[in-house]
Amino acid sequence: MNHFTYKNGVLCCEDKPVQDIAKEVGTPFYLYSTATLQRHFDAFDSGFDGMKHQTCFAVKACSNLSILHLFAQMGGGADIVSGGELFRAMKAEIDPQKIIYSGAGKTRTEIREALEAGILMFNVESPQELDRIQEIAAELKLTARIAFRINPDVDPKTHAYISTGLAKNKFGIPVDEALEEYLRAKEMENIEIVGVSCHIGSQLTQIDPFIEALRKVKNFVAKLEQKGIHIQYLDLGGGVGITYDDEQPPHPVDYAAAIKEELAGMDCTLILEPGRVITGNAGVLITEIQYTKMNTGGEKEKRFVIVDAAMNDLSRPSLYSAYHEILPVQEPAEGTEQHEVDVVGPICETGDFMARDRMMPEVQPGELLAVMSCGAYGFSMSSNYNSRPKVAEVLVSGDQFRVIRQRESYEDLLRGEELTALP
Ligand SMILES: *Cc1c(COP(=O)(O)O)cnc(C)c1O
């Protein structure tokens, strides 16, 4: 359920016609609905009512300050994976006591910053990282709260690039080696063990892999208890999928129910790190058609719709062959002729496409298209490739909108560069 629908023949975000925003802001731009963001956060979080829990939004999915602040106001914490994300989370007024730091390659500087901020816990991914955290915490005369990220060797049945819980993936510590690491951590002066964590992948469309991983984690927690190590926080990561095309992911409420059932009787606070499921369908990318053309002479004639957004703005199609629905902003009249087209950007790579071999109603230059389901891993993965300024981000509430990130200027592109030559 989202708030992007046709009203009187024009696509609206909540009560605001998309074309009105485009007139003021220009294209391309990312467009988010406050009502959808709130609804998705609430639907996910309230599924765990009746259990001690904390929802920590995965900042990497959508890192705009205003959006992070919206979740902060709803009681949300943050799952961060870099010093930059810590900086954002703090600026967005997220309570540091609700910040979890994940990721396999935390630098010394990043660890120091997180310790000084007083975050809830580090999800530690290697023995060397544990040693590094102990060393820095000792220097700062602080105590670092930690969990280890367990790699449960479970197949999440998703795209290979976003599978993270298989033994062959770079993430976490194998269950068999983790006990030894907990025992080592227990003896460390500046380390306090508070949790166990796992995150097996993203865009999961089935509940079973989550439950399989959870059972392994539960068994492991029991082993820790036997050794006198008590766990306060059980962090189950993120990963619930969304519908881009015809996927049928579990409803967050069913996901929550299955987890609650599995955890019945366990005395700990559950931590959840959802990203995609909260923001994915709460944002779209609006782009203007520049040209249409037909290339003949190959096996079959090929139609192209060339738009002003490109793989640097939305990389998911090129990176993961991801599917995004594309809707004309002006609702096509019934009976409009349909063609099979490639929707492509202006970048000099054949991999620069939004959609391939897609049936779409006939469109003309100057018309607007909405690339749907871009609210997660959309803007946050964008780059300046081809010296393209990053696009604007806009947030709608009711019939009001606000630019929550200005479109970059050419000057922004050169920030930090010098016109210089070595002698
Ligand atoms: C990416 C990530 C998440 C969020 O994943 P989604 O599929 O967006 O819910 C949560 N936790 C960790 C450790 C991650 O790396």
Side-chain angles (χ1 to χ4, degrees):
M1 159 77 204
N2 62 56
H3 295 79
F4 297 94
T5 51
Y6 288 115
K7 291 178 185 170
N8 302 320
V10 294
L11 188 70
C12 291
C13 175
E14 301 190 24
D15 300 323
K16 189 74 187 166
V18 168
Q19 58 202 26
D20 294 359
I21 304 172
K23 269 193 205 111
E24 285 191 45
V25 176
T27 55
F29 62 96
Y30 276 88
L31 177 61
Y32 306 94
S33 154
T34 303
T36 311
L37 290 166
Q38 287 172 330
R39 185 192 169 99
H40 287 182
F41 184 92
D42 197 50
F44 186 92
D45 189 64
S46 61
F48 293 93
D49 282 354
M51 235 192 123
K52 283 183 287 180
H53 70 282
Q54 176 61 48
T55 298
C56 295
F57 177 69
V59 172
K60 73 178 192 280
C62 182
S63 5
N64 184 285
L65 269 192
S66 298
I67 292 175
L68 297 180
H69 185 61
L70 186 77
F71 297 144
Q73 286 174 316
M74 298 181 78
D79 169 52
I80 60 166
V81 292
S82 72
E85 287 191 353
L86 173 64
F87 180 71
R88 278 183 180 279
M90 301 290 284
K91 288 278 181 200
E93 298 173 1
I94 291 173
D95 180 355
Q97 274 298 301
K98 296 180 180 174
I99 296 178
I100 313 285
Y101 196 161
S102 305
K106 303 173 191 82
T107 65
R108 287 177 192 284
T109 307
E110 288 173 322
I111 291 168
R112 188 170 301 118
E113 288 165 353
L115 279 169
E116 285 170 344
I119 65 165
L120 178 62
M121 67 179 188
F122 291 88
N123 285 340
V124 180
E125 302 215 14
S126 66
Q128 288 175 6
E129 184 189 332
L130 175 68
D131 292 335
R132 184 178 272 190
I133 293 176
Q134 159 57 33
E135 193 185 309
I136 297 169
E139 270 167 37
L140 297 174
K141 301 193 171 55
L142 292 171
T143 300
R145 287 174 292 275
I146 64 128
F148 281 97
R149 177 168 174 178
I150 304 297
N151 184 325
D153 194 20
V154 166
D155 185 355
K157 304 190 181 78
T158 181
H159 191 285
Y161 289 3
I162 48 177
S163 292
T164 57
L166 284 165
K168 67 179 178 187
N169 301 139
K170 72 178 172 190
F171 297 96
I173 296 182
V175 175
D176 302 340
E177 292 165 32
L179 188 59
E180 194 182 317
E181 286 309 308
Y182 270 92
L183 292 173
R184 214 161 67 79
K186 196 176 169 215
E187 301 308 318
M188 290 183 174
E189 192 93 358
N190 300 77
I191 297 285
E192 183 191 357
I193 297 170
V194 293
V196 175
S197 87
C198 88
H199 168 74
I200 56 174
S202 196
Q203 184 53 15
L204 271 71
T205 53
Q206 296 167 32
I207 292 184
D208 295 357
F210 288 115
I211 298 301
E212 192 185 335
L214 180 51
R215 289 201 176 129
K216 292 195 179 178
V217 171
K218 243 172 64 177
N219 284 340
F220 182 67
V221 170
K223 274 194 210 153
L224 289 177
E225 292 283 350
Q226 284 169 9
K227 299 280 181 190
I229 298 173
H230 177 66
I231 293 306
Q232 299 170 48
Y233 297 103
L234 201 58
D235 179 349
L236 294 182
V240 183
I242 64 169
T243 303
Y244 287 101
D245 184 8
D246 52 8
E247 304 90 339
Q248 293 183 315
H251 190 281
V253 169
D254 298 330
Y255 163 78
I259 286 175
K260 282 204 289 197
E261 186 186 322
E262 195 63 34
L263 288 182
M266 264 183 94
D267 176 30
C268 60
T269 300
L270 195 57
I271 290 181
L272 302 138
E273 304 171 344
R276 191 187 309 270
V277 72
I278 309 275
T279 60
N281 281 322
V284 304
L285 174 62
I286 305 297
T287 179
E288 187 191 77
I289 299 170
Q290 302 301 305
Y291 307 101
T292 60
K293 72 172 181 180
M294 192 144 70
N295 284 358
T296 54
E299 279 168 34
K300 59 173 186 177
E301 61 178 32
K302 198 85 203 174
R303 285 172 189 266
F304 294 95
V305 173
I306 303 169
V307 297
D308 63 358
M311 63 189 282
N312 71 298
D313 305 310
L314 176 69
S315 59
R316 300 191 66 259
S318 352
L319 197 56
Y320 316 119
S321 301
Y323 177 99
H324 286 268
E325 189 183 5
I326 298 183
L327 296 176
V329 166
Q330 187 77 42
E331 191 173 20
E334 229 172 282
T336 305
E337 205 180 336
Q338 302 256 333
H339 300 291
E340 191 180 87
V341 301
D342 283 11
V343 179
V344 301
I347 285 184
C348 306
E349 300 212 13
T350 300
D352 179 27
F353 61 89
M354 303 278 140
R356 274 183 163 163
D357 304 324
R358 182 75 56 86
M359 287 308 287
M360 271 190 52
E362 172 125 354
V363 286
Q364 304 296 335
E367 287 181 29
L368 299 177
L369 296 178
V371 185
M372 307 303 287
S373 310
C374 289
Y377 308 102
F379 186 90
S380 63
M381 290 179 93
S382 69
S383 78
N384 289 116
Y385 187 41
N386 272 214
S387 285
R388 291 167 51 85
K390 285 195 188 167
V391 307
E393 289 179 288
V394 175
L395 182 62
V396 165
S397 177
D399 61 359
Q400 305 287 309
F401 76 91
R402 250 232 160 73
V403 175
I404 55 172
R405 191 184 207 274
Q406 297 290 334
R407 184 180 307 286
E408 285 182 354
S409 66
Y410 290 152
E411 287 301 324
D412 289 334
L413 288 179
L414 301 185
R415 198 149 73 94
E417 287 183 44
E418 271 179 60
L419 190 66
T420 189
L422 292 176

